[in-house]
Amino acid sequence: MKTRDKIVQASLELFNKHGERNISTNHIAAHLNMSPGNLYYHFRNKEDIIRSIFTLYESDIIRDFKPYLDQEVNSELLLNYFDTLFNILWNYRFLYNNLADILSRDDVLKVRYRQTQEQVLSRSNYIIAQLKDDGVLIIDENDIAPLADTLKLMTSFWVSYKLTQSKSPIGSISKASLYEGVLRVLLILKTYAAPNSITTFDKLKTHYQKQADSSLQSDEQIEE
Amino acid sequence: MKTRDKIVQASLELFNKHGERNISTNHIAAHLNMSPGNLYYHFRNKEDIIRSIFTLYESDIIRDFKPYLDQEVNSELLLNYFDTLFNILWNYRFLYNNLADILSRDDVLKVRYRQTQEQVLSRSNYIIAQLKDDGVLIIDENDIAPLADTLKLMTSFWVSYKLTQSKSPIGSISKASLYEGVLRVLLILKTYAAPNSITTFDKLKTHYQKQADSSLQSDEQIEE
């Protein structure tokens, strides 16, 4: 792995574990047994590293979250979407924690964030319309855009929400609480489920409930 | 009005207009034609002022958002709840902008916030259960708590969400965009509406749509 990529990966890991606010470029350099000077050879400052992490975030989303092609809509297809949601939330959780704060410090990043979110929203609209056409959801044409936007709000602020409601710092965001976020999106979507797709939604619910329960157990084991 | 209350009111106004981050105690003193020393006689620092604003926020919520008594559920009763939601969001919008940031700076405030939110959540659960008992909503007993929690998430982060999605600073949060938040809560609640209460929800939707449209017009007039 190139030094540049090593720095990005280590920063992502440290930010997720301790919160971006608590990690300086010196911490990152020390973690990599690297001199601060060497780090500054690759990145001007922390904002510069955050922008590189954001590039990974963008490409993960663009690669994994897109309309489906001609294929049957079954629980496996939907599972892929929800797994993508979980993975993005988990892998970039520091970004979701205190999103407004990170964006307010970097106007360039704010513009990039807005562009990515517009793309997410437009794809999300498209997928909901596909699910309506394929008879999975029953939804008024006019409600598609606000539903897509509501789901984006819920997922964008789930991590912040869990953290403001708890005593805990970012390191304590558990996989279980992110699976809870996935279950919440399912709950809202299910209110639009066509009668013959209710069982599909119930199957997904059972699946993610199990994921949440088993992460809870492994989270507890880590604490021991 | 007592000097102490004047300081709290002026701070609230300035925070809402320019963002809490951009306003110092010196700005507040200057706005009131007061010496910084006089302000420090009443408040130790900005955090101390924010705590006093938070006391107003808490008492507004506790006073206006509570289960209804023996009365018919009609659009007027529901209107009161949604008007309360709008007023709280509007009057304390600086608090909703960058909530995580404000709470992360003050552990005492974070504990108070959590307590208020627990009370809001428990009342919200109770009201949804009342609406279910009165035949207004059709909802599975097990879905009441996650629905209440989802609505809380949506309302807590609506302001942050609108600001991260736009180019604009906090001063530009318009009444129209907060009415849009109210409409969004209505949309989610309506998916649980009993057949004979759909017209009530539609009436509320028309009402808040009008409010949004007319605020949009007056927002535009202000800009001219």
Side-chain angles (χ1 to χ4, degrees):
Chain A
M1 202 190 266
K2 284 187 196 155
T3 306
R4 204 187 145 82
D5 295 337
K6 268 189 206 162
I7 295 171
V8 171
Q9 283 305 329
S11 305
L12 179 54
E13 193 187 313
L14 292 171
F15 291 165
N16 278 337
K17 206 162 165 185
H18 305 288
E20 173 269 330
R21 199 193 282 268
N22 300 314
I23 295 295
S24 66
T25 46
N26 283 348
H27 290 123
I28 299 165
H31 183 80
L32 289 166
N33 293 317
M34 179 185 281
S35 73
N38 193 3
L39 188 145
Y40 283 118
Y41 173 78
H42 294 279
F43 293 96
R44 274 175 302 131
N45 49 35
K46 199 164 78 165
E47 255 56 53
D48 202 12
I49 300 178
I50 294 176
R51 288 186 189 179
S52 288
I53 293 177
F54 198 79
T55 303
L56 295 179
Y57 166 80
E58 284 169 330
S59 66
D60 279 7
I61 289 187
I62 299 311
R63 185 194 60 215
D64 295 336
F65 184 66
K66 53 188 169 200
Y68 55 93
L69 300 172
D70 274 341
Q71 66 190 106
E72 200 200 341
V73 181
N74 49 28
S75 46
E76 203 185 334
L77 183 136
L78 294 172
L79 205 79
N80 282 333
Y81 284 122
F82 292 109
D83 279 352
T84 295
L85 169 59
F86 175 84
N87 289 329
I88 301 273
L89 285 177
W90 178 250
N91 294 337
Y92 301 96
R93 55 199 183 280
F94 90 90
L95 204 62
Y96 290 99
N97 173 37
N98 234 345
L99 185 65
D101 186 42
I102 291 172
L103 298 181
S104 72
R105 280 185 270 134
D106 185 341
D107 283 341
V108 174
L109 198 65
K110 194 173 178 189
V111 172
R112 282 176 59 188
Y113 177 79
R114 222 170 53 236
Q115 287 166 344
T116 310
Q117 295 306 304
E118 275 164 20
Q119 198 157 6
V120 166
L121 192 58
S122 113
R123 289 181 175 198
S124 179
N125 268 286
Y126 194 91
I127 296 167
I128 294 173
Q130 285 186 307
L131 294 173
K132 174 185 162 75
D133 287 347
D134 287 337
V136 178
L137 302 180
I138 296 175
I139 182 168
D140 190 295
E141 201 68 53
N142 298 320
D143 289 345
I144 292 180
L147 173 64
D149 192 61
T150 302
L151 297 181
K152 190 154 76 67
L153 159 65
M154 285 170 63
T155 53
S156 302
F157 286 99
W158 182 258
V159 170
S160 284
Y161 181 61
K162 292 310 278 186
L163 287 170
T164 53
Q165 307 300 315
S166 77
K167 289 178 205 155
S168 323
I170 176 153
S172 66
I173 270 281
S174 64
K175 287 190 171 183
S177 69
L178 298 189
Y179 280 121
E180 195 194 338
V182 171
L183 283 163
R184 202 56 72 73
V185 170
L186 267 171
L187 176 78
I188 299 301
L189 263 186
K190 196 192 151 184
T191 62
Y192 295 97
N196 60 5
S197 59
I198 298 246
T199 51
T200 307
F201 280 93
D202 285 340
K203 228 192 264 183
L204 289 167
K205 185 182 165 184
T206 308
H207 171 78
Y208 287 107
Q209 193 59 61
K210 267 189 203 155
Q211 297 289 96
D213 293 346
S214 70
S215 333
L216 205 59
Q217 280 171 353
S218 61
D219 289 342
E220 276 164 7
Q221 278 163 5
I222 291 167
E223 277 173 36
E224 278 172 358
Chain B
M1 203 190 265
K2 283 189 196 151
T3 307
R4 203 187 145 80
D5 295 337
K6 269 189 204 162
I7 295 170
V8 171
Q9 283 304 330
S11 305
L12 179 54
E13 193 187 311
L14 291 171
F15 291 164
N16 278 337
K17 206 164 167 184
H18 305 288
E20 172 268 331
R21 197 194 282 268
N22 300 313
I23 295 295
S24 65
T25 46
N26 282 348
H27 290 122
I28 300 165
H31 183 81
L32 289 166
N33 292 318
M34 179 184 281
S35 72
N38 192 3
L39 188 143
Y40 284 118
Y41 173 78
H42 294 279
F43 292 96
R44 274 175 303 130
N45 49 34
K46 200 164 76 164
E47 255 57 54
D48 201 14
I49 299 178
I50 294 176
R51 288 186 189 180
S52 287
I53 293 178
F54 198 81
T55 303
L56 295 179
Y57 165 79
E58 285 168 329
S59 67
D60 279 7
I61 289 187
I62 299 310
R63 184 193 63 215
D64 295 336
F65 183 66
K66 53 188 169 200
Y68 55 92
L69 298 173
D70 274 340
Q71 66 190 103
E72 201 200 339
V73 181
N74 50 28
S75 46
E76 203 185 335
L77 181 136
L78 294 173
L79 206 78
N80 282 332
Y81 283 123
F82 292 109
D83 279 352
T84 295
L85 170 59
F86 175 84
N87 289 329
I88 302 272
L89 285 178
W90 178 251
N91 295 336
Y92 301 96
R93 55 199 183 280
F94 90 89
L95 204 61
Y96 289 100
N97 173 37
N98 234 344
L99 185 64
D101 186 42
I102 291 173
L103 297 182
S104 70
R105 280 186 270 133
D106 185 341
D107 283 341
V108 173
L109 197 64
K110 193 171 179 189
V111 172
R112 281 175 61 188
Y113 177 79
R114 224 172 49 236
Q115 287 166 344
T116 310
Q117 295 305 305
E118 275 164 21
Q119 198 157 7
V120 166
L121 192 58
S122 111
R123 288 182 176 197
S124 180
N125 267 285
Y126 194 92
I127 296 166
I128 294 173
Q130 285 185 306
L131 294 173
K132 174 185 161 77
D133 287 347
D134 288 339
V136 177
L137 302 179
I138 296 175
I139 182 168
D140 189 293
E141 201 68 52
N142 298 320
D143 289 345
I144 293 180
L147 174 64
D149 192 62
T150 302
L151 298 180
K152 191 155 76 66
L153 159 66
M154 287 171 62
T155 52
S156 302
F157 287 98
W158 182 258
V159 171
S160 285
Y161 181 62
K162 293 310 277 185
L163 288 171
T164 54
Q165 307 300 313
S166 77
K167 289 179 204 155
S168 325
I170 176 150
S172 66
I173 270 281
S174 64
K175 287 190 173 183
S177 68
L178 298 189
Y179 280 121
E180 196 195 335
V182 171
L183 283 162
R184 201 56 72 74
V185 171
L186 267 171
L187 176 77
I188 298 299
L189 262 187
K190 197 193 152 185
T191 62
Y192 295 96
N196 62 4
S197 60
I198 298 247
T199 51
T200 308
F201 280 93
D202 285 340
K203 227 192 263 183
L204 290 168
K205 184 183 166 183
T206 308
H207 171 78
Y208 287 107
Q209 193 59 61
K210 266 189 202 154
Q211 298 288 97
D213 293 345
S214 71
S215 332
L216 206 59
Q217 279 171 354
S218 60
D219 289 339
E220 277 162 7
Q221 279 164 7
I222 291 167
E223 279 173 31
E224 277 172 1

